[in-house]
Amino acid sequence: MSNGSSSNVIDDLDRRIIAALQLGGRAPWSAIAHWAGASETTVQRRYQALRERHLARVVATLELDRTASGSSMLVRVQARPGRGLELARVLAACPQVRFVAVVTGAADLVVDFVAEDNDQLMRLLYTDLPGADLITGTECVAVIRSFTSPAHWDTGLLPPQAREELRPAALAAPYERKGWDESPQALSEVEREVAQALSADGRMPVSALARELGRTESSAARALERLVNRGVLHFRTLVDPRLLGFEAEFMVWLSVEPDRLDAAGRQLARHSGTKLLSAATGRFNLVGHVVLPHRSDLFRYTGEILGALPGLIASEITLHLATLKHAWTRMAAPDRPLLSMVPAVES
């Protein structure tokens, strides 16, 4: 991490708390406190302060492909000169947009649209595209399988034993999953309500969850347990990676020989900096979201990590300048005054 202003926003205790929550978003406060090295009261107070400052929060996310909850389409967007941030704000306000980042490279923005079906996706991309007058070009990449996701990422700030204690047993890496050809199982009404409520506050107590939904505690608890045990509801901690010591945040866009795609995906998914990795359609059939401690680490990363992937044909990297929306949630960027002008997004 550089010694810029973002490094002074939180301290080491905050980072350990965030790292523990990333491993187990709904782990008991006693377990979080143990690995953070502070009392439960202190840990709860620190997390609440981080949440109120919009620096970190635990949210729940569904696996779209296993719950018939929609499909993801990553779109690389070129904006009219000087209008990229304005366009990013417009796209962040769209309820069907899960993620928006301002980037450098062959694209100006990377946007993740989640559509219920093909008809909605067609309307989003071809007739009702938000900010269309600010766009000069797009390239769509449909996500078709996950190798790993942000919920599975380990910051590396805590010892391996913390992962064993805090991370749910059901949270296996997607590339280890069996039954990819099974039909998705739609959620029940109460399961969908639980998932929606926890998407805003992943640590909401079951008692509060039941009150919000107008359900009994036993009904809410059983629905939550089913979702977690099926491995379709995950908890992750949203935070600017720079606050944890990762200066370089970027996406990799890879073209891999089709018969080597699975091997390449499994290999890259195991890298400690890989937060997300998906197989996709189009000229880029493997797309990843990665963090590294320093931008200078990119030199070795491109040669030693990407260069060692089986079947690699070509690669592109888009460096993140700012993320306006993540998992349908807007996060603060304390040392980026320009982004403070971005309005809060309701979704």
Side-chain angles (χ1 to χ4, degrees):
M1 176 65 124
S2 66
N3 292 322
S5 57
S6 65
S7 64
N8 301 318
V9 173
I10 65 175
D11 61 17
D12 287 341
L13 175 56
D14 291 324
R15 294 184 185 94
R16 291 194 298 272
I17 292 170
I18 292 169
L21 288 168
Q22 171 61 22
L23 291 174
R26 283 189 70 86
W29 283 120
S30 58
I32 301 295
H34 169 74
W35 290 106
S39 69
E40 286 188 51
T41 301
T42 298
V43 166
Q44 290 184 59
R45 176 172 52 80
R46 288 291 192 106
Y47 172 67
Q48 186 60 31
L50 289 168
R51 197 170 185 275
E52 290 174 354
R53 294 162 66 195
H54 303 287
L55 296 178
R57 72 189 308 167
V58 176
V59 300
T61 60
L62 281 170
E63 289 198 4
L64 301 176
D65 61 318
R66 300 177 67 195
T67 58
S69 299
S71 57
S72 170
M73 179 73 72
L74 291 172
V75 182
R76 290 155 49 106
V77 179
Q78 289 80 43
R80 290 174 57 186
R83 308 294 292 278
L85 187 58
E86 178 185 355
L87 175 59
R89 290 197 292 263
V90 171
L91 288 166
C94 176
Q96 288 76 34
V97 168
R98 178 167 56 174
F99 168 86
V100 180
V102 181
V103 301
T104 67
D108 298 313
L109 305 175
V110 175
V111 185
D112 181 13
F113 286 96
V114 174
E116 296 176 357
D117 51 36
N118 285 341
D119 288 342
Q120 185 183 56
L121 184 62
M122 185 169 63
R123 290 194 302 272
L124 278 171
L125 297 180
Y126 298 106
T127 63
D128 302 322
L129 180 62
D133 58 320
L134 302 175
I135 295 173
T136 61
T138 61
E139 180 175 5
C140 301
V141 179
V143 174
I144 56 175
R145 180 169 295 190
S146 173
F147 286 98
T148 192
S149 74
H152 299 81
W153 182 58
D154 183 350
T155 66
L157 298 177
L158 297 176
Q161 294 86 345
R163 183 193 303 185
E164 297 174 9
E165 179 178 337
L166 297 171
R167 180 146 286 175
L171 194 63
Y175 64 81
E176 297 175 343
R177 183 188 308 149
K178 307 296 183 184
W180 275 101
D181 296 328
E182 295 177 0
S183 299
Q185 183 177 345
L187 302 181
S188 67
E189 182 180 356
V190 64
E191 288 172 342
R192 192 165 295 282
E193 290 175 357
V194 165
Q196 180 62 35
L198 294 177
S199 69
D201 180 3
R203 289 198 65 87
M204 183 186 297
V206 171
S207 57
L209 178 64
R211 285 196 302 273
E212 179 169 318
L213 301 181
R215 303 274 186 175
T216 64
E217 285 194 35
S218 60
S219 174
R222 286 196 302 270
L224 175 57
E225 184 178 12
R226 288 195 301 271
L227 291 168
V228 172
N229 289 344
R230 284 169 52 198
V232 298
L233 185 71
H234 305 313
F235 297 90
R236 54 182 290 203
T237 302
L238 301 182
V239 63
D240 186 328
R242 296 171 307 148
L243 297 180
L244 302 181
F246 300 98
E247 176 187 308
E249 181 180 11
F250 56 97
M251 292 192 72
V252 292
W253 307 84
L254 309 176
S255 297
V256 178
E257 295 174 2
D259 61 340
R260 312 297 295 280
L261 182 58
D262 186 61
R266 289 170 179 267
Q267 183 170 314
L268 191 55
R270 296 187 184 100
H271 185 268
S272 61
T274 303
K275 294 186 67 177
L276 176 147
L277 188 68
S278 300
T281 62
R283 65 188 178 106
F284 301 112
N285 57 359
L286 191 61
V287 180
H289 183 178
V290 186
V291 293
L292 296 173
H294 307 286
R295 284 197 178 186
S296 57
D297 296 329
L298 272 165
F299 183 81
R300 292 183 59 187
Y301 178 85
T302 54
E304 298 178 8
I305 305 303
L306 297 185
L309 292 177
L312 182 67
I313 300 170
S315 66
E316 285 187 13
I317 287 178
T318 52
L319 275 170
H320 286 214
L321 298 178
T323 300
L324 276 69
K325 196 175 186 182
H326 221 328
W328 287 284
T329 303
R330 177 177 176 255
M331 298 300 294
D335 65 340
R336 293 174 177 144
L338 188 60
L339 291 187
S340 67
M341 298 186 297
V342 179
V345 173
E346 299 296 335
S347 60

